[in-house]
Amino acid sequence: MGARQLEFSSWLSDRVHHTETVLERLLPEPGTVPGRLHQAMRYAVLGGGKRVRAMLAYAAGEVCLQAGTASTAQEMALDYAAAAVEIIHAYSLVHDDLPCMDDDTLRRGRPTVHVQFDEATAMLAGDALQPLAFELLAQMPIAPALIVQAVQILAHSAGSNGMAGGQAIDCESVGSMLTRDQLQTMHSMKTGAMLGASVLLGGVVAGASSSVRVSLESYAAAVGLAFQVVDDILDVTADTATLGKTAGKDAASDKPTYVSLLGLDGSRELLHSLREEAHAALLPLGAAAGRLGQIADFIVGRDR
Amino acid sequence: MGARQLEFSSWLSDRVHHTETVLERLLPEPGTVPGRLHQAMRYAVLGGGKRVRAMLAYAAGEVCLQAGTASTAQEMALDYAAAAVEIIHAYSLVHDDLPCMDDDTLRRGRPTVHVQFDEATAMLAGDALQPLAFELLAQMPIAPALIVQAVQILAHSAGSNGMAGGQAIDCESVGSMLTRDQLQTMHSMKTGAMLGASVLLGGVVAGASSSVRVSLESYAAAVGLAFQVVDDILDVTADTATLGKTAGKDAASDKPTYVSLLGLDGSRELLHSLREEAHAALLPLGAAAGRLGQIADFIVGRDR
């Protein structure tokens, strides 16, 4: 492992650990009423996950905040933004795993929330996580005008024109062949919107100018799509133990994927060009965007 | 019907009609992708409901905005706030009606969303309605600092310390006897929190001072509880056709209610004193709070 990669690995594990600590603190105490609900919320969010969305928020924040010059308030705001995107992601997994959706029993190597608790508690835990994310944004110690922008970005990305909408298209498209454009629309909503929101929130909180935001948005679009292409490839090539979730699920349920549309080789070619797009989008940002470039490589190269 | 009551009736039907028009406009178009999801969202929100939460927001706004002096921006912000609380309420009904919760097939005299569409679509419609409410608040044309307060109020009231938390306690308490304090805690979270948020949002948007907010909060606490006591009484005394939802449901499912705890007479006595509390809380606000007083009477006297 080269020195640069070692440094990135160490940053990554530091941020994963930090994110876990922040989430631990910001989630409701397991002992407070309603205890079972709070325990389910914590179970859903803590103890696992790649924390890709938090990483993106922190790395986008770094583009705008020179190392060592971030104020305590800005650092705290970044923590809250990173926690908010992880919480929205966690809620979406809880609901996706429910019997009326994917009916999955394994997530991050553990029983899914409705298996560990029960269906009603799993649904309510998801329902309660969502407003918690917005509450955290509202508590960020930054200018109210920036908070309003953050709320707008998160709400739009989580809603019917973003994540929830992509999920709905996914449900409707089971068993049907989508065109590449339709598949891309679905994924850009289902996964891309929240990955993009993570990048943008980091930028907004750190005071990104509008030209920086444009670069961040192009980067996020490429990385968001790349993330999904890798997911589709891993669903075919990895095993359940490595993934920590059920492998081969999409193929088994006859869901359209990049692999079913382009084949494995075609999917890998697409991945390669998306990685290049992501790096090209970062060029105007110079060295400050180095971390975002490393994350793009990490997402493309991940094996789970 | 006296002149005062006639005037209130006319205000009420005007506001119900206005709220419907506002929601019609603010919900996603049924023809835009994902169409089925957008249709389910509209089905869940439009065409029914007493719009009590919107009424409370408008009436609280009236306390602070002298008639005829509200700016267009303030009026628009009140519309968005009223829409937001109705949308959160609608999402909660969709999820409550799902098979893993109350498993109900009738709501507002029509098939529930999962019956009309399907379970996955109903869950996603609820999931997508929630961020829409926050997006609308973020779009209000008022000072960002007020928007941030509004987001905080709505998020807290909808989350695990508010509506979703009350719902969780409700699920856990089926078949067990709660004390009056426990029952009150549950209802103040499950129903009271969002009714209170409706009142407070109206006040915040209209620029209520902190002393006015204190009065609004006391009023909302009494009215929120009264609303639930009436619900419990109607569950026993009204029929399904009048209610537009299944009557006798709580008794049948062995849920603790005010009627099971205090009896019908005891519940009516409690209702009487809550009505007096609500009016007492409004005294410092003078004539401007007349509408809120009328709504308290309306809630206590409603038969569905």
Side-chain angles (χ1 to χ4, degrees):
Chain A
M1 198 185 272
R4 188 169 169 274
Q5 209 184 336
L6 201 64
E7 189 272 340
F8 176 68
S9 264
S10 139
W11 178 83
L12 204 63
S13 66
D14 169 75
R15 286 293 94 183
V16 168
H17 179 75
H18 179 74
T19 302
E20 196 75 14
T21 312
V22 167
L23 287 167
E24 276 268 2
R25 204 182 62 232
L26 295 179
L27 283 161
E29 295 284 339
T32 56
V33 172
R36 192 173 162 81
L37 180 71
H38 286 162
Q39 287 150 28
M41 291 166 74
R42 297 178 69 89
Y43 182 87
V45 177
L46 298 175
K50 296 177 287 289
R51 307 296 182 207
V52 172
R53 289 153 191 82
M55 295 312 105
L56 287 169
Y58 283 119
E62 274 191 21
V63 173
C64 311
L65 301 170
Q66 292 303 315
T69 67
S71 69
T72 312
Q74 281 170 320
E75 279 176 6
M76 182 174 158
L78 262 183
D79 283 345
Y80 278 49
V85 291
E86 285 295 328
I87 284 170
I88 291 282
H89 177 56
Y91 119 70
S92 77
L93 298 182
V94 175
H95 281 192
D96 285 3
D97 288 336
L98 280 171
C100 70
M101 300 286 294
D102 286 355
D103 194 11
D104 222 321
T105 56
L106 192 66
R107 167 76 64 185
R108 293 172 179 169
R110 300 181 307 170
T112 46
V113 178
H114 68 274
V115 171
Q116 184 74 13
F117 294 84
D118 57 79
E119 275 186 56
T121 302
M123 202 181 61
L124 289 172
D127 287 349
L129 284 170
Q130 196 164 196
L132 177 59
F134 290 100
E135 196 173 3
L136 292 176
L137 292 189
Q139 290 169 352
M140 295 191 295
I142 53 173
L146 292 180
I147 295 180
V148 171
Q149 290 174 28
V151 169
Q152 220 151 6
I153 290 167
L154 189 69
H156 193 78
S157 313
S160 75
N161 295 108
M163 188 181 68
Q167 190 67 41
I169 297 176
D170 197 10
C171 288
E172 286 173 38
S173 67
V174 170
S176 65
M177 195 69 189
L178 297 184
T179 65
R180 185 166 161 178
D181 274 359
Q182 288 171 320
L183 193 65
Q184 180 161 337
T185 300
M186 177 185 90
H187 287 311
S188 69
M189 291 167 72
K190 189 181 159 187
T191 321
M194 277 302 301
L195 291 171
S198 307
V199 175
L200 264 186
L201 281 186
V204 164
V205 164
S209 67
S210 57
S211 74
V212 170
R213 287 191 203 185
V214 169
S215 296
L216 291 178
E217 281 179 8
S218 309
Y219 164 83
V223 162
L225 203 50
F227 190 89
Q228 188 58 50
V229 176
V230 176
D231 244 21
D232 287 356
I233 292 175
L234 290 176
D235 187 67
V236 177
T237 59
D239 57 31
T240 299
T242 311
L243 284 181
K245 62 181 179 184
T246 314
K249 204 174 63 177
D250 295 338
S253 62
D254 202 15
K255 278 193 181 179
T257 70
Y258 278 101
V259 176
S260 69
L261 192 73
L262 307 176
L264 260 181
D265 286 348
S267 300
R268 284 183 179 131
E269 269 170 44
L270 174 61
L271 197 55
H272 180 73
S273 63
L274 288 170
R275 180 179 165 278
E276 292 195 340
E277 262 179 50
H279 283 282
L282 296 178
L283 280 181
L285 305 180
R291 200 64 85 190
L292 285 174
Q294 290 174 317
I295 293 181
D297 296 344
F298 169 73
I299 284 175
V300 166
R302 74 197 170 93
D303 60 2
R304 64 181 183 98
Chain B
M1 199 185 270
R4 188 168 169 274
Q5 209 184 336
L6 201 65
E7 188 273 341
F8 175 68
S9 264
S10 138
W11 178 84
L12 203 63
S13 67
D14 169 75
R15 288 293 94 182
V16 168
H17 178 75
H18 179 74
T19 302
E20 196 75 14
T21 312
V22 167
L23 287 167
E24 276 268 3
R25 204 182 62 233
L26 296 179
L27 283 161
E29 295 284 336
T32 55
V33 171
R36 193 173 161 82
L37 180 71
H38 287 162
Q39 286 150 28
M41 291 166 74
R42 296 177 71 89
Y43 182 86
V45 177
L46 298 174
K50 296 177 286 289
R51 307 295 182 209
V52 172
R53 289 153 191 82
M55 295 312 105
L56 287 170
Y58 284 119
E62 275 191 19
V63 172
C64 311
L65 301 170
Q66 291 303 314
T69 67
S71 68
T72 313
Q74 281 171 321
E75 279 176 5
M76 182 175 159
L78 261 183
D79 282 345
Y80 278 48
V85 291
E86 286 295 328
I87 284 170
I88 290 282
H89 177 56
Y91 118 70
S92 77
L93 298 182
V94 174
H95 281 192
D96 285 3
D97 287 338
L98 281 171
C100 70
M101 300 286 294
D102 287 355
D103 193 11
D104 222 322
T105 56
L106 191 66
R107 167 75 66 185
R108 294 173 179 169
R110 300 181 308 172
T112 46
V113 178
H114 67 275
V115 171
Q116 184 74 14
F117 293 83
D118 57 79
E119 275 185 56
T121 303
M123 202 181 61
L124 288 171
D127 287 348
L129 284 170
Q130 195 163 197
L132 177 60
F134 290 100
E135 196 173 4
L136 291 176
L137 292 189
Q139 290 169 352
M140 294 190 296
I142 54 174
L146 291 180
I147 294 180
V148 171
Q149 290 175 27
V151 169
Q152 220 151 5
I153 290 167
L154 189 69
H156 193 78
S157 313
S160 75
N161 296 108
M163 189 180 68
Q167 190 65 41
I169 297 176
D170 197 11
C171 288
E172 286 173 37
S173 67
V174 170
S176 66
M177 195 68 190
L178 298 184
T179 65
R180 184 166 161 177
D181 275 359
Q182 289 171 320
L183 194 65
Q184 180 161 339
T185 299
M186 176 185 91
H187 286 312
S188 69
M189 291 167 73
K190 188 181 159 188
T191 320
M194 276 303 299
L195 291 171
S198 307
V199 176
L200 264 186
L201 281 186
V204 165
V205 164
S209 67
S210 57
S211 74
V212 170
R213 287 190 203 186
V214 170
S215 296
L216 291 178
E217 281 178 8
S218 310
Y219 165 83
V223 161
L225 203 51
F227 190 89
Q228 188 58 51
V229 176
V230 176
D231 244 21
D232 287 356
I233 292 175
L234 290 176
D235 187 67
V236 177
T237 60
D239 58 31
T240 299
T242 310
L243 284 181
K245 62 181 180 184
T246 315
K249 204 174 62 177
D250 296 337
S253 63
D254 203 15
K255 278 193 180 178
T257 70
Y258 278 101
V259 176
S260 69
L261 193 74
L262 307 175
L264 260 180
D265 286 347
S267 300
R268 284 182 178 132
E269 269 170 46
L270 173 61
L271 197 55
H272 181 73
S273 63
L274 287 169
R275 180 179 165 277
E276 292 194 340
E277 262 178 51
H279 283 283
L282 296 178
L283 280 181
L285 305 180
R291 200 65 85 191
L292 285 174
Q294 291 175 315
I295 293 181
D297 296 344
F298 170 72
I299 284 175
V300 167
R302 74 197 169 93
D303 60 2
R304 65 180 183 101

